[in-house]
Structure formats: structure tokens, C-alpha cells
Amino acid sequence: MAQRVHEFDWPDRLVIGTVGRPGERSFYLQARTGENLFSALMEKEQSAALAEKLDEVLDELMLQEGNPYSVPAEAPTALDDRAPLDTPVVEQFRVGILSLGFDPSTAQVVIEAFPLVEDSPESLLEPEADGPGEVLHVRIPVGAARSFCKRTREVVEAGRAICPLCLEPMDPEGHVCEPLDGLS
């Protein structure tokens, strides 16, 4: 089977965003260049892990002698993106495997997202035998990568408030909980 590659090299926009209200949100990795829009459904935990690992890669690059790739320590304010997802949000696929890399020849971070294969639990850890049918392949500069991480953390943390007694998320309609041992 021929692989379908959704290529975004220096996209106009790359964000994690949500659809729905807290407690019922769906997370999307969305890339856009001009009119070309791609949205992949992700888990909240995948979104948080992607931002965490990407920040780690950027921190390691920044610490190289002389910071040869000009990696900023903080997200550049000029690159802040607080806008909602571009519409229409149409799920191209559900993300199963994420890959993260760095291309030193262009000083770009490379993010690849592969669709979830639902044949078996092992399929979450291994690509399809004859290669994945599709892949989202995105290349962004290091400043944009820092901003992507900042926004992703903000989106993930914008969920439901945490109950101080049971440490579980609270629903807007109300919350009944059992206090943690020793906190009654």
C-alpha cells in the first residue's frame, strides 16, 4: 500500500486545541498551511506528553555549547496563539504513535503522527507491518516549537478544577467525593 503523507513544512499554524466543554473535551493536533488543514484526534495524555518531551529536546539543544540553533529558553511572546482550532475540525485519524526528532541542517523540530491501529494492544507500540497507510509529518522552527509547548500545556491545564479533598476532577454540575485517608 502506498503511504499517504500529510506534509507541513513551516506551517502557518500548528496547535493542540479542543472541542467540547471541560470533562468532555476532544483534543486535536491541527496543522494548517494556507487552505490545507489537517486535524488528528489525540488523547489528553498524548498532548501533555508531546509538549513535555518536545520541551526536553529543546532544553537539550539550548544547552549545547553556544546554543548553535538559537533555541529560546521561553516561548517568544510574538508567537503566542490563543485562537480556537480552525474550522471545520474534521478528524483525519486518531493518533496512535508519535515520533519526535530534530533536523540540524534546518534547525527544525520534526513531529510525526501515525494513526492508531486497533487490531491488537501490541499495535499501539509497533507500526503497521507493511508501513503505516498515512502519516502527519510536520517541521517547525525552534521558536515555534517552544510556543507550541506553551499553548499545549495551557490547553491541557484548562480542564476541570481538581477537588482539594479527593484530588479528582470536579464536574460543573457538582461533585461528591470521599476525602483521602487522613484528611477528614
Side-chain angles (χ1 to χ4, degrees):
M1 162 183 7
Q3 184 182 57
R4 183 169 182 207
V5 179
H6 306 277
E7 185 80 37
F8 290 85
D9 192 5
W10 288 66
D12 297 334
R13 188 170 194 225
L14 177 69
V15 295
I16 296 283
T18 61
V19 173
R21 56 184 253 234
E24 300 173 0
R25 297 184 300 168
S26 296
F27 285 73
Y28 289 89
L29 172 62
Q30 190 177 75
R32 178 181 47 80
T33 298
E35 297 295 317
N36 187 14
L37 180 64
F38 187 93
S39 302
L41 183 65
M42 294 181 66
E43 295 296 326
K44 178 180 181 178
E45 294 77 14
Q46 286 176 309
S47 303
L50 177 58
E52 179 182 336
K53 294 299 178 190
L54 182 49
D55 257 339
E56 287 176 15
V57 167
L58 293 169
D59 289 345
E60 288 176 23
L61 291 168
M62 187 180 71
L63 294 176
Q64 288 184 3
E65 188 174 331
N67 191 2
Y69 304 109
S70 301
V71 178
E74 301 290 327
T77 308
L79 297 178
D80 282 353
D81 182 344
R82 290 190 167 74
L85 292 170
D86 291 322
T87 57
V89 179
V90 177
E91 176 187 333
Q92 307 292 135
F93 61 71
R94 177 181 286 268
V95 175
I97 298 173
L98 287 164
S99 166
L100 185 58
F102 181 74
D103 182 349
S105 68
T106 61
Q108 290 178 308
V109 171
V110 180
I111 300 170
E112 292 181 320
F114 300 90
L116 176 66
V117 180
E118 300 193 37
D119 294 339
S120 67
E122 296 81 31
S123 67
L124 292 174
L125 303 175
E126 299 176 14
E128 296 175 47
D130 58 351
E134 335 184 47
V135 61
L136 170 62
H137 188 262
V138 182
R139 301 167 66 86
I140 56 174
V142 292
R146 278 285 192 215
S147 293
F148 173 85
C149 293
K150 177 183 173 185
R151 177 195 165 106
T152 300
R153 283 190 306 276
E154 290 170 355
V155 167
V156 167
E157 293 168 2
R160 297 176 285 172
I162 301 298
C163 174
L165 297 176
C166 69
L167 303 178
E168 293 293 321
M170 296 187 296
D171 293 321
E173 296 83 27
H175 179 74
V176 178
C177 67
E178 294 293 322
L180 294 173
D181 291 339
L183 294 179
S184 46

